[in-house]
Amino acid sequence: MATVLDDIQTRETRHILQTYRRAPITFVRGEGVRLYDSNGREYLDLLSGIGVASLGHAHPRLARAIADQAATLLHTSNLFYHPLQGELAERLANLSGLPRAFFCNSGTEAVEACLKFARRYWYTKGEPRSEFIALEESFHGRTFGSLSVTSDEHYRLPFAPLLPNVKFVPVNEPAALAAAVSRQTAAIIAEPVQGEGGIRPLTPAFAQAIADACAKTGALFIADEVQSGLGRTGYPFFFAALGLKPHLVSVGKALGSGVPVGAALVSQQVADTISFGDHGSTYGGNLLACRAALCFLDELVGGGVLAHVGRVGVHFEHRLKTLAATRPIVKHIRGRGLMWGLELDRDAAPVVPAALERGVVVNRTAETVIRLLPPLIISESEIDESLDRLAAALDAVGGRS
Ligand SMILES: Cc1ncc(COP(=O)(O)O)c(C=O)c1O
């Protein structure tokens, strides 16, 4: 007899463009940190839909806010005012120190907007600069601009030619950055903690090199906080932990806690060079997206989620260190707060199904890294339970010392 999964797979194989290799699981329901599949099996979610379900699944206040907004007004376009967009922009300004926001619907659109605003800045100043400096191991999204500053050849090659004048420098090598940035550079773009690249925080020395290069050449700095921002590391934004003051910041993922919303946060210096009509989005910052994002920020700041990440992040790190110390397959761990990577001594791919078999959802990135991005509301006991399951999966794949 065909299962629910068989039916879904058959239809998808026929009609979905085959760009994703999916695990053979159909999730149908969630609650907090737990997901349930079509057979009623429970999983602990250490991935939150790649850093998106920041408040966990079926969060009661978020669910009520979304339902209420749907029953009131969902969308009117950016041709008119509505009551929520300005409020959301103000709250993001208070959190980031960047006074203005442009709303869009995804991380890649947020990056795209930052790249365009950087070009516009130099155009308005009457000394156009087109060059972008990006980092090796970077990931900024799949649209043409974002892809152009993403380093992985595997993503880039089939779509060449991309934007010209993009130079890549090795991450955390201050001298290489200093040598690459010049008065031709429109902007440096970097993830304060590289996500897809294997969870690599920038070092303070490299952050200083970014600040120095910008001061010396006038180049703008774009911090891509799509994955690392909004509480994930225990800080509102990791650029602040590094002492950086970006001119542009991209956010997405956690902001809507599952409702698609992104934003480019913009300094006044850059905002002063932007004119009506320079950029736009039909959906960007509609009532549904803003309502969800406001609910998320309520929980993050007023609801204590940010402080919670700070607390449980220490426990997570401690548990991961113990796990790594007793498993030779784990070479080292990197990360902050609730954003961690376990660098393995081999391809990490087999760990993912082994973890799913044991009821825990994780992801592989950068070939050898197990990436952990649990919902920000995860408790210490849920951390313990899920890392016990992950440890069993690592033992199954790599043995134990
Ligand atoms: C740092 C970073 N920037 C941009 C993106 C692109 O976001 P999206 O997939 O929402 O377009 C991602 C997605 O993983 C990301 O991690």
Side-chain angles (χ1 to χ4, degrees):
M1 207 179 69
T3 63
V4 174
L5 180 61
D6 290 338
D7 288 347
I8 291 170
Q9 270 180 337
T10 306
R11 194 169 290 129
E12 283 215 1
T13 309
R14 259 186 232 140
H15 294 296
I16 295 288
L17 191 68
Q18 294 296 295
T19 59
Y20 300 110
R21 195 176 286 125
R22 302 195 203 281
I25 293 181
T26 304
F27 290 120
V28 292
R29 185 168 77 76
E31 198 180 331
V33 175
R34 288 166 206 272
L35 284 167
Y36 298 88
D37 73 10
S38 49
N39 298 317
R41 215 180 139 203
E42 173 245 62
Y43 300 76
L44 283 158
D45 185 3
L46 286 186
L47 188 59
S48 50
I50 324 186
V52 168
S54 42
L55 297 180
H57 304 287
H59 186 274
R61 208 162 303 140
L62 179 64
R64 273 198 304 277
I66 291 172
D68 176 64
Q69 198 58 52
T72 308
L73 188 62
L74 284 177
H75 178 87
T76 56
S77 89
N78 282 304
L79 297 176
F80 304 98
Y81 291 100
H82 72 62
L84 306 179
Q85 208 179 103
E87 186 186 346
L88 178 58
E90 185 180 357
R91 303 261 293 269
L92 287 168
N94 291 339
L95 215 54
S96 68
L98 286 97
R100 290 177 188 274
F102 172 88
F103 289 107
C104 52
N105 315 287
S106 64
T108 198
E109 285 173 83
V111 170
E112 212 62 45
C114 290
L115 297 172
K116 282 184 72 179
F117 297 153
R119 284 266 184 97
R120 180 53 155 126
Y121 172 83
W122 291 107
Y123 177 85
T124 308
K125 280 172 74 84
E127 37 175 315
R129 295 188 184 188
S130 62
E131 181 183 83
F132 292 108
I133 304 293
L135 302 187
E136 290 174 7
E137 330 295 338
S138 62
F139 184 87
H140 297 290
R142 308 293 200 127
T143 51
F144 267 103
S146 308
L147 188 59
S148 300
V149 289
T150 290
S151 68
D152 192 333
E153 286 295 314
H154 178 72
Y155 296 144
R156 298 165 57 87
L157 265 185
F159 305 102
L162 302 178
L163 278 186
N165 299 342
V166 178
K167 281 193 214 151
F168 291 96
V169 300
V171 62
N172 289 335
E173 291 193 17
L177 183 82
V181 182
S182 73
R183 292 192 176 273
Q184 315 299 315
T185 307
I188 302 167
I189 179 165
E191 299 153 80
V193 183
Q194 290 189 317
E196 299 286 319
I199 315 292
R200 294 169 203 280
L202 299 188
T203 58
F206 194 72
Q208 188 59 50
I210 292 176
D212 291 347
C214 291
K216 191 166 153 206
T217 64
L220 301 176
F221 174 50
I222 303 170
D224 181 354
E225 292 265 10
V226 167
Q227 196 164 142
S228 57
L230 296 167
R232 171 63 51 201
T233 63
Y235 296 90
F237 295 98
F238 200 67
F239 68 71
L242 291 168
L244 283 165
K245 287 206 162 62
H247 304 87
L248 292 148
V249 174
S250 50
V251 292
K253 290 193 186 279
L255 182 58
S257 200
V259 174
V261 50
L265 309 180
V266 184
S267 65
Q268 194 58 44
Q269 181 189 351
V270 175
D272 286 340
T273 66
I274 309 288
S275 297
F276 285 126
D278 273 349
H279 198 39
S281 163
T282 298
Y283 290 115
N286 79 8
L287 288 111
L288 177 70
C290 289
R291 184 73 185 267
L294 283 167
C295 178
F296 167 69
L297 291 181
D298 282 346
E299 296 295 318
L300 186 72
V301 184
V305 169
L306 188 61
H308 172 82
V309 175
R311 277 193 305 276
V312 298
V314 173
H315 181 70
F316 203 47
E317 178 173 5
H318 174 72
R319 282 295 317 256
L320 285 173
K321 280 188 173 150
T322 311
L323 186 151
T326 48
R327 268 115 193 140
I329 182 178
V330 183
K331 283 193 351 197
H332 45 255
I333 63 166
R334 292 184 295 264
R336 291 287 192 290
L338 291 176
M339 179 174 191
W340 288 91
L342 275 59
E343 176 89 53
L344 304 190
D345 65 1
R346 66 194 75 184
D347 184 353
V351 177
V352 176
L356 286 170
E357 270 171 42
R358 288 159 183 80
V360 62
V361 182
V362 300
N363 160 253
R364 175 190 77 148
T365 191
E367 306 285 321
T368 52
V369 178
I370 292 295
R371 175 169 48 174
L372 308 175
L373 303 168
L376 304 183
I377 46 100
I378 194 168
S379 67
E380 288 198 1
S381 62
E382 287 163 338
I383 288 173
D384 290 343
E385 201 181 343
S386 49
L387 291 185
D388 285 347
R389 295 183 192 184
L390 177 60
L394 288 167
D395 292 344
V397 172
R400 200 186 159 155
S401 62

